[in-house]
Amino acid sequence: MWLQRDITLRPRGRGFHLVTGEVAEALPEVGDLRAGLLHLFIRHTSASLTLNENASPDVRADFEAFFDDAVREDAPYWTHTMEGPDDMPAHVKASLLGPSLSLPIASGRLALGTWQGIYLCEHRDRGGARSLLATVLGEAG
Amino acid sequence: MWLQRDITLRPRGRGFHLVTGEVAEALPEVGDLRAGLLHLFIRHTSASLTLNENASPDVRADFEAFFDDAVREDAPYWTHTMEGPDDMPAHVKASLLGPSLSLPIASGRLALGTWQGIYLCEHRDRGGARSLLATVLGEAG
Amino acid sequence: MWLQRDITLRPRGRGFHLVTGEVAEALPEVGDLRAGLLHLFIRHTSASLTLNENASPDVRADFEAFFDDAVREDAPYWTHTMEGPDDMPAHVKASLLGPSLSLPIASGRLALGTWQGIYLCEHRDRGGARSLLATVLGEAG
C-alpha cells in the first residue's frame, strides 16, 4: 500500500511543538497496516521535524534555548541577512534537525517508544502555516 | 518483502559504540534481497543512531568529546534538570544525531561505504539496554 | 517498483553545493511513479547530504561559515589528527547533517517545497569524487 496526504499545520510561534496527535489523526489508514513506514516531510527550509520527549513542556523550552544559543542571530559571519535576523539561523537549525522523519508502523500503530513524540520545530518568529507531505507505505494486516 | 524485528542492544557506557556487526547478524533476511532498505529506529529519546568511521576508536572518542563540549551539562539555560545533569543534554544530542538510519540494501548486503559503520550513540551515563525496531523492505533476489 | 543506481558527483571544493538538477537528471524513472520515495545515500564519512534553500548562494556560504565555527579544526580535544586538521571535523559535520535524504515522489516528480534543494555538503578540503547510491521505490502511475 502507498498513500500520500498533505497535512497543514496551523501557524505556531517560534519554538518546539508536540504534534503527534495531529499527525496520527490525519492518517487513519495507518491502522490497516501490519508492518510499514510513515515518512513525514516538511516542505520548508526554516522549520524542521524531530522526535523527542513527549511529556515535559520544559524539554521543549530547553530545546529552543539550546538552539538559540548554538545558532546565534548575532553571529558575525552571516551574509544572508535580508530576510531578518531569524532567517539564516532558521535555515541552519532546519538542517541540523532535518526535514523528515521515517517512523515504523507495526500492528496498525506508529511504533514509537513510550516517551517519543513528534516535534514541529518552528525556527522563524512568524513562520505561518507549515505544509507536510506524509507518505505511508506497508503491508496490510 | 516486509520484515520487522526488535533488536535489543546490551547496556553500554556513555559514548559512541560500533554496532554494525550486531545489527547485521540479527537480520539474516537481508541476504535474500536484490534491492531494498533497512530502517533502523531507536525507541528512546536519550540515545541515537548515526553512521561514521568504522576503523579508528579515537574517532568515536572524539565524537564524545565534541558533543560533550557542544551540548554542555552546565549550560545556564537548562530548566529540565530533575533527571540529572546528563538528561537534558542527552535529549538534545539525540535530536542532533537522530533516532533512525535508513540504509540501502543491494545484492543481499547493506550497501555501506568501505569506512561506514553503524554507531549506537549512548548519551546517558547509565542508559541501560536500548531497544531498536528494524524494518526491512525490498525486492527478493 | 524498486530501482537502484550509483551516482558519482564530481570533485568539489569544501563547502555546500546545490546538486538537485544533477540528481534528478540521473533518475528519469522518477517520472513513472504516482507515489514513492527517493532514498539518497552518500557512501562516505566526511561528506553529507542535506536539504535547504535553493536560491541564494550566500545561504550556502553561511552554512560553511557556521559549521566551520561550530566544529573547529583547532579544538583542543581532537585525538584523531593523522589525516589532517579537516578530517575529524569532517566526520562530526557528516553526522550532524547525516548520510542520507528520503524525499517524497508524487505524480512523477520529487515533491520538494518551492525553496528546497539538495545540497552536497563537502567537508574535506580535497574530498574527491563522491559516490551516492540512489534507491527509488514506489507505485507506478
Side-chain angles (χ1 to χ4, degrees):
Chain A
M1 185 189 100
W2 283 86
L3 174 137
Q4 280 181 328
R5 184 163 297 144
D6 290 303
I7 301 174
T8 302
L9 300 176
R10 63 176 166 74
R12 283 170 166 94
R14 176 165 160 170
F16 292 74
H17 306 278
L18 197 58
V19 296
T20 321
E22 225 171 307
V23 167
E25 277 162 39
L27 298 166
E29 295 88 348
V30 163
D32 302 331
L33 294 182
R34 185 190 63 77
L37 290 173
L38 164 59
H39 180 258
L40 277 179
F41 181 73
I42 192 161
R43 293 161 58 102
H44 304 273
T45 61
S46 58
S48 58
L49 298 171
T50 195
L51 215 63
N52 221 290
E53 214 266 15
N54 60 15
S56 308
D58 51 359
V59 171
R60 300 194 291 280
D62 285 0
F63 262 77
E64 180 64 14
F66 170 80
F67 280 95
D68 284 350
D69 185 59
V71 191
R72 300 188 67 83
E73 295 202 352
D74 61 0
Y77 42 72
W78 302 132
T79 63
H80 180 80
T81 53
M82 285 182 321
E83 298 173 52
D86 61 328
D87 181 62
M88 193 57 226
H91 289 308
V92 169
K93 293 170 184 175
S95 278
L96 285 171
L97 290 161
S100 74
L101 286 174
S102 292
L103 306 175
I105 297 167
S107 306
R109 306 183 54 145
L110 288 181
L112 303 181
T114 311
W115 303 104
Q116 287 179 313
I118 303 170
Y119 287 13
L120 166 68
C121 318
E122 176 55 74
H123 304 305
R124 297 298 309 259
D125 292 335
R126 288 175 194 79
R130 295 300 194 171
S131 168
L132 304 187
L133 179 54
T135 301
V136 178
L137 54 157
E139 204 166 57
Chain B
M1 185 189 101
W2 282 85
L3 174 138
Q4 281 180 327
R5 183 163 297 144
D6 290 303
I7 301 175
T8 303
L9 299 176
R10 61 176 167 76
R12 283 168 165 95
R14 176 164 161 171
F16 291 74
H17 306 278
L18 196 59
V19 297
T20 320
E22 224 170 308
V23 168
E25 277 163 38
L27 299 166
E29 295 87 351
V30 163
D32 301 332
L33 295 182
R34 185 189 64 77
L37 290 174
L38 165 59
H39 180 258
L40 276 179
F41 181 73
I42 192 161
R43 293 162 58 103
H44 303 274
T45 61
S46 58
S48 58
L49 298 171
T50 195
L51 215 63
N52 220 289
E53 214 265 15
N54 60 15
S56 308
D58 52 358
V59 171
R60 300 194 291 280
D62 285 0
F63 263 77
E64 180 64 14
F66 170 81
F67 281 95
D68 284 351
D69 185 59
V71 191
R72 300 189 66 85
E73 295 201 352
D74 61 359
Y77 42 72
W78 302 132
T79 63
H80 181 79
T81 53
M82 285 182 322
E83 298 172 53
D86 60 329
D87 182 62
M88 193 57 226
H91 288 308
V92 169
K93 293 170 184 174
S95 278
L96 285 171
L97 289 161
S100 74
L101 285 175
S102 292
L103 306 175
I105 297 167
S107 306
R109 307 182 55 147
L110 289 180
L112 304 181
T114 311
W115 303 104
Q116 288 180 312
I118 302 170
Y119 287 13
L120 167 68
C121 317
E122 176 55 75
H123 304 305
R124 297 297 310 259
D125 292 335
R126 289 175 194 78
R130 294 301 193 172
S131 168
L132 305 187
L133 179 54
T135 301
V136 178
L137 56 155
E139 204 166 55
Chain C
M1 185 189 102
W2 283 85
L3 173 137
Q4 280 180 327
R5 183 162 298 143
D6 291 301
I7 301 175
T8 303
L9 300 176
R10 62 176 166 75
R12 283 168 166 95
R14 177 164 161 173
F16 291 74
H17 305 278
L18 197 59
V19 296
T20 320
E22 224 170 309
V23 167
E25 276 163 40
L27 298 166
E29 295 87 350
V30 163
D32 301 332
L33 294 181
R34 186 189 63 78
L37 290 173
L38 164 60
H39 179 259
L40 275 180
F41 182 73
I42 192 161
R43 293 161 58 102
H44 304 273
T45 60
S46 57
S48 58
L49 297 171
T50 195
L51 214 63
N52 220 290
E53 213 265 16
N54 60 14
S56 308
D58 52 357
V59 171
R60 300 194 292 280
D62 285 0
F63 263 76
E64 180 63 14
F66 171 80
F67 281 94
D68 284 351
D69 185 58
V71 191
R72 300 189 66 84
E73 295 201 352
D74 61 359
Y77 42 72
W78 303 132
T79 63
H80 180 79
T81 53
M82 285 183 321
E83 298 173 54
D86 61 328
D87 182 62
M88 193 58 225
H91 289 308
V92 169
K93 292 170 185 175
S95 278
L96 285 171
L97 289 162
S100 73
L101 286 175
S102 293
L103 306 175
I105 297 167
S107 307
R109 306 183 55 146
L110 289 180
L112 304 180
T114 311
W115 302 103
Q116 288 180 311
I118 303 170
Y119 286 13
L120 167 68
C121 318
E122 176 55 73
H123 305 306
R124 297 298 310 260
D125 292 335
R126 289 175 193 77
R130 295 300 194 172
S131 168
L132 305 187
L133 179 54
T135 301
V136 177
L137 55 156
E139 204 166 56

